[in-house]
């Protein structure tokens, strides 16, 4: 059974969430949220450029958030490299960079409130067990709810703590989607009871992301379409906290000649490789913009010059055109 009410939050946390929602209503605010696991590759940079252009065209704010909660995967010097690359390209952000690691205590307080209100339950399913119920080709199936109705034992057993899962209700999860697939996922069949706190004690991606969109007053999330499938879980967390979601635009990823998306995992080239080949910032901005169909191939221009040549209506038309292309595919 899913709780019917939002959790009772400590007064200071409730005030911060309400302040974030008020800030959202005051104008356009978006964010770029890289993880410091290595240098930005061209695909990351292209998404950053689209996000930056939209914020500037709408007279809004472009915030920078470093998603650094997964300490074992963070690489020394990666954050400094990210900041340097954005500055080199002329993608300026508003205010100081924010770091998720600074919010660990806040996430813990929110998790405790959700747990007290009955929104969470402990799960002791091992990775091996969940792998056995995975979908074909390694895609993890929706959690089947093995632990949902078991007695809630929160303490360690056999030296291992449980993960904490969100008790998701029946029905469809909806959000406003401006570019990607329609903003709609069926909760039970495509989202399921996602983990919000891992068994190793780390806060899970869905909780941290959802909470930070609210605290930062984010009105619009512009990110790669590989994250579309994560949106339902994050919207569900916001709903549990009594907050509406922002608007989303899941922009197409940059793919190679074989149709594979560029990624750090596969060693996709970043700015260092482009600079080694003699490219300057104007050449890289031209390369990124040309890949989006905004300028002819071989163009050279600064981020500011590209911004001056565009309009918010033109960028909107591009986003909508990309959506139509993918819906027909």
């Amino acid at each position: 059974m899913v709780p019917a009410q939002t959790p009772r939050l400590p007064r200071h946390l409730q005030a911060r969430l309400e302040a974030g929602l008020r800030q959202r209503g005051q104008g356009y605010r978006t964010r770029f949220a890289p993880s410091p696991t290595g240098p930005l590759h061209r695909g990351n940079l292209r998404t950053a450029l689209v996000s930056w252009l939209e914020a500037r065209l709408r007279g809004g704010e472009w915030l920078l958030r470093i998603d650094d909660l997964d300490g074992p995967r963070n690489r020394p010097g990666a954050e400094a490299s990210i900041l340097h690359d954005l500055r080199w390209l002329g993608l300026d952000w508003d205010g100081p960079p924010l770091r998720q690691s600074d919010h660990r205590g806040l996430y813990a307080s929110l998790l405790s409130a959700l747990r007290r209100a009955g929104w969470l339950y402990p799960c002791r399913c091992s990775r091996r067990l969940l792998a056995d119920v995975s979908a074909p080709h390694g895609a993890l199936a929706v959690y089947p709810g093995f632990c949902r109705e078991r007695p809630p034992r929160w303490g360690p057993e056999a030296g291992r703590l449980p993960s904490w899962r969100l008790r998701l209700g029946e029905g469809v999860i909806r959000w406003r989607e401006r570019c990607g697939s329609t903003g709609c996922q069926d909760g039970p069949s495509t989202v399921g009871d996602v983990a919000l706190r891992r068994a190793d004690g780390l806060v899970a991606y869905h909780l941290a992301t959802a909470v930070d969109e609210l605290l930062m007053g984010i009105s619009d999330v512009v990110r790669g379409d590989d994250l579309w499938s994560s949106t339902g879980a994050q919207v569900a967390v916001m709903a549990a906290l009594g907050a509406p979601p922002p608007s989303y635009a899941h922009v197409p990823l940059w793919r190679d000649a074989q149709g594979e998306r560029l990624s750090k995992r596969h060693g996709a080239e970043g700015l260092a490789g482009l600079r080694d080949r003699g490219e300057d910032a104007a050449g890289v901005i031209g390369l990124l913009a040309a890949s989006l169909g905004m300028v002819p191939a071989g163009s050279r221009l600064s981020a500011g010059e590209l911004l001056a040549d565009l309009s918010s209506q033109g960028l909107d038309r591009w986003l909508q055109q990309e959506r139509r292309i993918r819906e027909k595919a």
Side-chain angles (χ1 to χ4, degrees):
M1 183 173 181
V2 177
Q5 296 183 342
T6 56
R8 185 180 182 87
L9 301 179
R11 190 171 299 174
H12 72 285
L13 290 183
Q14 186 66 41
R16 289 192 64 174
L17 288 175
E18 290 173 356
L21 291 175
R22 287 196 300 271
Q23 196 166 38
R24 179 198 289 180
Q26 292 173 5
Y28 186 96
R29 283 169 67 88
T30 192
R31 87 297 187 275
F32 180 57
S35 298
T37 55
L40 298 174
H41 59 72
R42 285 179 293 158
N44 299 141
L45 293 168
R46 190 173 81 155
T47 300
L49 177 62
V50 173
S51 175
W52 181 86
L53 287 169
E54 178 156 83
R56 297 301 178 235
L57 287 168
R58 293 180 180 276
E61 293 181 278
W62 195 65
L63 308 181
L64 179 61
R65 187 181 77 219
I66 306 298
D67 287 2
D68 60 348
L69 282 180
D70 197 346
R73 295 183 63 237
N74 295 341
R75 288 176 52 183
E79 180 181 331
S81 172
I82 289 168
L83 301 185
H84 175 268
D85 285 352
L86 293 175
R87 289 193 186 101
W88 188 76
L89 287 175
L91 303 183
D92 56 321
W93 55 89
D94 298 296
L98 306 172
R99 294 173 186 83
Q100 287 191 325
S101 57
D102 293 335
H103 286 170
R104 285 194 178 98
L106 186 149
Y107 302 142
S109 296
L110 286 169
L111 279 168
S112 295
L114 287 168
R115 174 178 157 179
R116 288 193 301 270
W119 279 97
L120 306 179
Y121 64 88
C123 172
R124 298 186 181 276
C125 296
S126 66
R127 289 186 178 182
R128 178 175 297 180
L129 173 63
L130 295 179
D132 289 341
V133 294
S134 293
H137 313 299
L140 188 63
V142 172
Y143 178 68
F146 292 144
C147 297
R148 186 178 177 115
E149 303 305 328
R150 292 180 179 176
R153 298 189 302 273
W154 298 94
E157 292 184 4
R160 185 175 183 272
L161 288 167
S163 61
W164 297 9
R165 290 189 178 274
L166 178 68
R167 195 181 295 275
L168 192 67
E170 297 288 330
V172 174
I173 300 170
R174 302 181 188 277
W175 65 91
R176 181 176 178 241
E177 178 65 56
R178 296 173 43 233
C179 182
S181 302
T182 302
C184 175
Q185 287 181 288
D186 181 71
S189 66
T190 62
V191 179
D193 293 352
V194 294
L196 300 187
R197 179 186 178 277
R198 293 169 19 180
D200 59 8
L202 288 178
V203 172
Y205 165 72
H206 292 308
L207 179 90
T209 299
V211 169
D212 281 340
E213 314 296 28
L214 298 177
L215 292 177
M216 294 168 66
I218 299 302
S219 65
D220 292 73
V221 173
V222 181
R223 60 187 184 183
D225 62 7
D226 57 323
L227 294 172
W228 181 91
S229 60
S230 299
T231 310
Q234 293 159 21
V235 171
V237 172
M238 296 179 200
L241 295 172
S247 173
Y248 290 85
H250 288 94
V251 300
L253 301 179
W254 199 343
R255 298 183 181 275
D256 62 20
Q258 289 72 45
E260 297 293 326
R261 69 183 181 93
L262 304 184
S263 69
K264 295 177 188 176
R265 183 182 307 169
H266 297 102
E269 186 177 41
L271 284 186
L274 294 171
R275 283 192 286 253
D276 289 344
R277 288 178 10 216
E279 291 285 4
D280 60 5
V284 175
I285 291 293
L287 176 68
L288 299 175
S291 76
L292 294 161
M294 294 179 177
V295 298
S299 295
R300 291 176 45 81
L301 71 173
S302 69
E305 289 168 336
L306 177 61
L307 178 65
D309 288 342
L310 290 175
S311 67
S312 61
Q313 292 81 10
L315 188 57
D316 271 346
R317 282 195 297 272
W318 178 80
L319 291 172
Q320 294 301 326
Q321 177 183 350
E322 289 297 328
R323 178 174 178 172
R324 288 193 294 271
I325 290 172
R326 280 182 289 171
E327 286 178 344
K328 290 179 181 178

